[in-house]
Amino acid sequence: MDTDLAEIADGIYRISTFMPEVGGPAGFTFNQFLIAAEEPLLFHCGHRGLFPAVSAAVAKVTPVERLRWITFGHVEADECGSMNQWLGAAPSAEVAHGATACMVSLSDLADRPPRQLADGEVVDLGGKRVRYMDTPHVPHGWEAGLLFEETTGTLLCGDLFTHVGRGPALTESDVIEPAMAAEALFKATSLGVATVPTLRRLARLKPTTLALMHGSSFAGDGAAALDALADAYEEMIRSAEAEGILRPADAAPPITGLGSAN
C-alpha cells in the first residue's frame, strides 16, 4: 500500500492510495482531493488508518493545520472515517455538508459542529470557488452531495465512475466501460427515478475534469461522459423494468440541488 500525490487541475491535487487486496485481483484506489487556496479544502477524508499517509501528502502542498474545509460525498468510512483526526490536526477546519447529512449524522459524529451548506451554495475559498450540490441517492446515500470547482471546471464526483485497478492519476481514455464493469461487480449505485435526471443535470455543468474517488480522474468532455453514464444507467433501468424487477414510474419527481445547472 502506498500513497501518491498528483496535480490533476490547477491547484487541485489527487491523493491516491492503492490497495491491491481490495476490489478483486485488480486492486482498488482510494482518492482524496485537496484544493489549494487561501482557505484549503479537502474532499474525502479517507479511512482512519490512512490518516498518517494522507496527511503527509497534504503537508507537501500546504501545512495540515491550515486546512479550512473538510467535506465529502456521503457518510461512509472511506469518505469520512478520519474526519475527527483532521479536525484535531487543523484547529480552524470545519466539516461542511448538506442539510440532510448534518441532520442525520454529522451533527453527532463530528467533534465540532458542521457547517450546513444550502443547495447551490457557493463557497469562495480565495482563488477557488466551490459550488455544493445535493444529489440524494446519487450514486448512493440519502445525504449524498457533490462539489463543483468553478474556476477549473472540476467536478468532485465522489463514487460516480468508480472503477477498479491502478491507472494513471489523470486519463483521457474512456471511463464509462470501466465504470459499468465495476457496477456489475459492486452493484453500488441506487437506481431510481432520480438517478438519470441528476446525471443529466450534472452534465450541464460542462466539467472539463472529473475527480473520481476510485480510479483515474478524467480530463476531457465531462458533459459527454456524464450523459453516457446516464445512458448506461437508463438502459439498466429499462432492462429491469422489462424483466419485471422494477415497476415503471408514472412520473419522475423534480430534481433539486443542482444550482444553476438546472
Side-chain angles (χ1 to χ4, degrees):
M1 187 179 73
D2 56 280
T3 299
D4 300 321
L5 176 72
E7 189 173 16
I8 61 164
D10 182 29
I12 299 182
Y13 295 84
R14 174 184 182 262
I15 300 162
S16 181
T17 303
F18 178 66
M19 294 189 179
E21 74 282 5
V22 177
F28 208 51
T29 57
F30 292 86
N31 305 323
Q32 298 80 40
F33 296 92
L34 174 67
I35 300 180
E38 291 178 20
E39 297 185 359
L41 179 147
L42 183 69
F43 189 72
H44 306 151
C45 300
H47 297 89
R48 287 186 297 170
L50 288 182
F51 177 76
V54 176
S55 59
V58 167
K60 294 178 181 179
V61 180
T62 188
V64 171
E65 60 268 22
R66 285 197 63 243
L67 197 64
R68 180 65 181 85
W69 299 104
I70 299 167
T71 187
F72 36 87
H74 50 270
V75 179
E76 195 173 349
D78 60 343
E79 301 258 356
C80 61
S82 60
M83 171 179 64
N84 288 323
Q85 291 166 282
W86 289 102
L87 288 175
S92 298
E94 289 183 85
V95 173
H97 215 296
T100 301
C102 292
M103 175 182 68
V104 304
S105 296
L106 298 179
S107 293
D108 182 72
L109 294 178
D111 283 347
R112 291 198 290 274
R115 159 78 178 274
Q116 182 174 306
L117 299 175
D119 288 345
E121 181 176 349
V122 174
V123 179
D124 190 338
L125 305 178
K128 295 286 188 290
R129 291 166 52 87
V130 292
R131 189 192 317 177
Y132 171 76
M133 296 166 291
D134 270 329
T135 60
H137 304 292
V138 180
H140 47 247
W142 178 28
E143 76 284 359
L146 302 177
L147 288 182
F148 180 63
E149 202 293 298
E150 297 182 336
T151 67
T152 61
T154 300
L155 180 63
L156 301 162
C157 53
D159 285 345
L160 293 175
F161 299 99
T162 284
H163 53 272
V164 300
R166 185 180 196 176
L170 192 65
T171 184
E172 297 180 2
S173 301
D174 173 56
V175 289
I176 306 303
E177 184 175 348
M180 297 316 295
E183 183 64 46
L185 179 64
F186 299 125
K187 299 177 175 59
T189 301
S190 299
L191 296 181
V193 293
T195 308
V196 171
T198 298
L199 291 171
R200 302 281 187 215
R201 285 162 174 78
L202 288 171
R204 294 179 191 173
L205 293 168
K206 300 187 183 302
T208 54
T209 303
L210 300 174
L212 278 59
M213 184 170 185
H214 304 293
S216 300
S217 293
F218 173 77
D221 189 343
L226 285 158
D227 276 328
L229 188 65
D231 290 343
Y233 283 127
E234 191 168 45
E235 179 57 34
M236 287 181 65
I237 292 169
R238 286 175 179 166
S239 296
E241 289 174 348
E243 294 171 13
I245 299 171
L246 290 177
R247 186 182 67 183
D250 294 330
I255 307 302
T256 59
L258 295 170
S260 60
N262 285 300

